[in-house]
Amino acid sequence: MEDESIVLSREDINNIVADVRASVQAIEKGSKLRKHIMNMVSMNNIMRAFIYNYSMDVDCKTIQEKLLQTVLAVEARRDRKFLIADIEVLKEAVEKYDVLLFSATEEQVSEIALFVKNNSGDCKYIVKHGKELKSSRN
């Protein structure tokens, strides 16, 4: 396998956060688009990668775990409806995600992006396609 590198600029980081914030706002208005859930999954994977690679506070890990459980719960619902409590978790996660990305250097974010890309098959929960959530480990 070739040595790949992903270089993200500060503008790319701003766009990532803006996309997630826009998804949360759309979810608050009742949107059930798959794109929004995928943005939450991406946010979860990046947060998980930061926790795995860096010494993060317990609060970050707790929020990431709540985010993961929320995404799984919404996916399990037939109508993929977000409850008020789910939206509160998303808002809390987005705030932590925002702080996390803006406090990291561009090199750290690029390193995390590459880590997520290279280890996506090893994550505990992976969205394969459609509504299907598969667990790769038991």
Side-chain angles (χ1 to χ4, degrees):
M1 183 165 113
E2 290 182 25
D3 180 31
E4 298 179 37
S5 64
I6 298 174
V7 179
L8 298 175
S9 67
R10 193 49 69 182
E11 183 179 345
D12 295 331
I13 295 166
N14 290 340
N15 291 337
I16 291 169
V17 173
D19 287 347
V20 172
R21 283 194 182 281
S23 287
V24 171
Q25 288 176 345
I27 288 167
E28 281 185 289
K29 293 178 181 176
S31 177
K32 297 178 187 174
L33 288 178
R34 183 86 182 135
K35 171 185 154 189
H36 303 313
I37 291 178
M38 295 308 295
N39 281 342
M40 298 305 123
V41 169
S42 296
M43 177 173 60
N44 175 71
N45 289 343
I46 290 171
M47 289 177 83
R48 182 178 284 229
F50 268 103
I51 292 166
Y52 180 80
N53 285 302
Y54 299 106
S55 174
M56 304 299 296
D57 61 3
V58 175
D59 188 41
C60 187
K61 184 174 181 180
T62 302
I63 291 169
Q64 182 270 318
E65 288 172 353
K66 286 179 8 182
L67 174 63
L68 176 61
Q69 293 308 314
T70 299
V71 169
L72 292 174
V74 169
E75 277 292 301
R77 295 181 192 130
R78 181 179 295 224
D79 61 356
R80 284 200 328 247
K81 184 175 182 173
F82 284 83
L83 305 176
I84 293 170
D86 298 333
I87 293 171
E88 292 304 314
V89 169
L90 295 182
K91 287 180 178 179
E92 186 180 7
V94 167
E95 291 307 315
K96 190 64 166 180
Y97 185 65
D98 190 3
V99 169
L100 187 62
L101 287 182
F102 284 104
S103 64
T105 65
E106 291 177 14
E107 293 80 23
Q108 287 173 320
V109 175
S110 292
E111 178 183 316
I112 290 299
L114 184 60
F115 179 84
V116 169
K117 179 182 175 189
N118 290 338
N119 293 292
S120 62
D122 295 332
C123 292
K124 185 174 180 186
Y125 295 99
I126 307 158
V127 176
K128 296 287 189 184
H129 52 75
K131 289 186 175 182
E132 189 176 345
L133 277 169
K134 297 245 180 184
S135 176
S136 63
R137 290 186 286 189
N138 293 329

